[in-house]
Structures are given as structure tokens and as C-alpha cells.
Amino acid sequence: MLAEWIEYLATPCPRHLRAMGYATELIGIKARYRRCRRAWASHLDACKAFILEAADACERRRKAVVLGSGVLVDVPVAGLADRFGEVVLVDILHLPSTRLRTRRRRNVRYATADLSGVARAAHDHARGVGPAPVPVGDLPESDADLVVSVNLLSQLPLLPCEYLERHGIPGVGDLARAVIEHHLAVLARSTGVVCLVTEIERLIMEEGGVRAREDPLAGVHLRAPDREWPWDLAPRPEADSAYDVRYRVAGFRSRGPVSFVGS
């Protein structure tokens, strides 16, 4: 806990994002990975392999862009850096410890962007000083030959919606769906190879099997995936001593403008 607190204090973070919990969430993901790395191993290997397959499908390899780079546990940075002239890691925050991991990779750089398009607006609206948030924005690097969205889609609306809920603002379900649809539309406009890795179902697991199934995508239906695998996100007692939390994860790959939304 002390190390996490020190990293929290050392991480540059705009005041509104800190108030919404972005720094806490990112450091928490890193801590959960340390606790659950054995349970996560097969999922992380599957993510990296799928991303590198998409990379190998690129005809041009000037630039790869990773959206939602996080703490890099699910991103094959070395493999991408070896394949592309430039690798851009995009997220709303970057931990100093994460930046240190790539310091010897001269063709890797970091870009800071709110990929939800609503964080600042949600913060201001919750405090009564702005209109209701609407997702805005496009790809931060529009000339990419490879665009990767990795374990990000379902996470984008979470903190803005939670912040609005804490302040008694209604309609967060509609906002969550809008944020997810916006991100899919952004990906669909890319002219390069697009690799989308996302959770498509959340399972609450007990000894007798599945106790509950939850939709992490706010009712947005995706087309049939190119690949699917499980992610044991929180084996007991990580989330609760009575159950495990498992995700169904899907991988999608496309070339050129194409929709990921299904019927």
C-alpha cells in the first residue's frame, strides 16, 4: 500500500482526473496484476499473440498506435517496436514506472488523450458548470498503419459514469452506450489494420458453475469475433471469497473502414 501511495503522489495527473479516480484506477490495475498475474497469464499471452498477428497483416509498417496502453501488461511493446518505425502508446494517464519500461526503445512514444471524449465534460456537468457530456474526438494518430484497442472498450465509460452517479446525475446508462458506440465508430474510420480486443461478457462463477452473466458493453452488440478466450480477472478471494469473476474476451481484426457492430 505504501508503494502504491507513493506512485499515486508521483504520477502527474490533472485535478479533474484525480478527482474522478483515474490515477487510483490505473495504479489499482497494476496492483491487481501483481496479485493475479498467474491467473491472468493465458489472457495476456492471447492478447499479445492476437495483436502481433494483426501487426504481421499490415502491408505498411510505419506507425502502430495502441489505444488504452495502460500499464503495458497486455501490449507486446517489444514486438511492435521491432516491426514498426514508430509505436505510439495512447492513454488518459501514463505512470512514470510505465514510461521507464520503454526508455531504451527510441521509436516508442507516449500520447495523452481522453479516448472516452467525456471525462472533462462529465466532471464539469456533475459540478453544475457544464452541459451533459457527449462523446467527441477522433483517432489521436490518424495516419496509423495499425490501430490497437486493447481491453479498453468496456472500461471507457466506467469512471465518468460512476462520477456522475455519485453526484446524482441520471442517464448514465445512455452515456455508457454512447461512449462505447463512439469508440467503435472511431475505430471503423481507420484506413489501416484495426485490432480490437474487448470483454464481451462478465461471468460470476461459483463452485456449481455460472451464477450470473452481465453485459459489460451497455447493450452494444458486436459482430462475431475472430477469436475468443477467457480471462480470470478476479479469482477468489480477489473480488469476493464466495465467487470468481471471469470475462469472455473477444478479438476482432479488420482492414480499412469497417464496422464492428453486429445485428
Side-chain angles (χ1 to χ4, degrees):
M1 291 295 294
L2 178 59
E4 293 169 25
W5 177 244
I6 292 172
E7 185 158 35
Y8 176 83
L9 294 176
T11 299
C13 181
R15 183 174 298 178
H16 71 285
L17 296 183
R18 198 174 290 277
M20 296 174 74
Y22 278 92
T24 301
E25 178 74 9
L26 191 57
I27 293 167
I29 290 170
K30 181 180 175 181
R32 173 169 280 185
Y33 164 69
R34 287 198 300 266
R35 294 191 301 270
C36 303
R37 61 189 305 165
R38 184 173 297 178
W40 287 19
S42 61
H43 161 68
L44 299 181
D45 288 345
C47 288
K48 293 173 184 177
F50 191 75
I51 292 168
L52 291 180
E53 287 176 18
D56 290 338
C58 293
E59 296 175 358
R60 295 185 303 185
R61 300 185 185 180
R62 298 167 305 171
K63 181 188 290 188
V65 175
V66 179
L67 307 177
S69 54
V71 294
L72 298 183
V73 294
D74 49 6
V75 181
V77 177
L80 292 175
D82 290 341
R83 287 167 170 80
F84 289 85
E86 183 179 23
V87 177
V88 186
L89 304 175
V90 184
D91 216 323
I92 197 166
L93 286 177
H94 302 284
L95 298 180
S97 58
T98 303
R99 291 179 181 270
L100 282 174
R101 289 181 54 189
T102 61
R103 64 189 182 280
R104 291 189 175 87
R105 293 280 180 177
R106 295 185 178 275
N107 62 335
V108 174
R109 66 178 172 90
Y110 291 80
T112 301
D114 171 19
L115 296 168
S116 75
V118 300
R120 186 57 188 254
H123 175 269
D124 292 349
H125 184 60
R127 297 171 66 84
V129 293
V134 177
V136 295
D138 210 330
L139 280 174
E141 303 280 337
S142 60
D143 59 340
D145 301 304
L146 173 67
V147 177
V148 178
S149 173
V150 56
N151 298 307
L152 172 69
L153 185 64
S154 69
Q155 305 303 304
L156 282 172
L158 290 186
L159 292 182
C161 287
E162 287 176 1
Y163 193 74
L164 290 169
E165 281 187 320
R166 288 200 300 272
H167 287 78
I169 306 296
V172 296
D174 291 339
L175 177 61
R177 185 181 180 103
V179 168
I180 289 170
E181 289 177 335
H182 174 262
H183 187 68
L184 291 171
V186 166
L187 294 178
R189 289 194 291 270
S190 173
T191 57
V193 172
V194 177
C195 175
L196 168 64
V197 176
T198 182
E199 305 93 341
I200 57 173
E201 189 175 34
R202 187 175 187 260
L203 307 174
I204 306 301
M205 309 291 297
E206 292 182 332
E207 292 296 344
V210 179
R211 186 183 83 181
R213 298 176 183 270
E214 301 171 355
D215 174 17
L217 297 180
V220 177
H221 298 288
L222 304 181
R223 63 173 170 82
D226 297 295
R227 194 166 303 163
E228 186 178 320
W229 62 86
W231 178 11
D232 289 319
L233 175 74
R236 68 192 75 180
E238 177 65 25
D240 193 281
S241 60
Y243 61 80
D244 307 317
V245 179
R246 176 179 296 168
Y247 277 122
R248 286 175 55 216
V249 178
F252 304 82
R253 191 172 73 218
S254 71
R255 184 189 301 274
V258 63
S259 177
F260 290 100
V261 179
S263 56

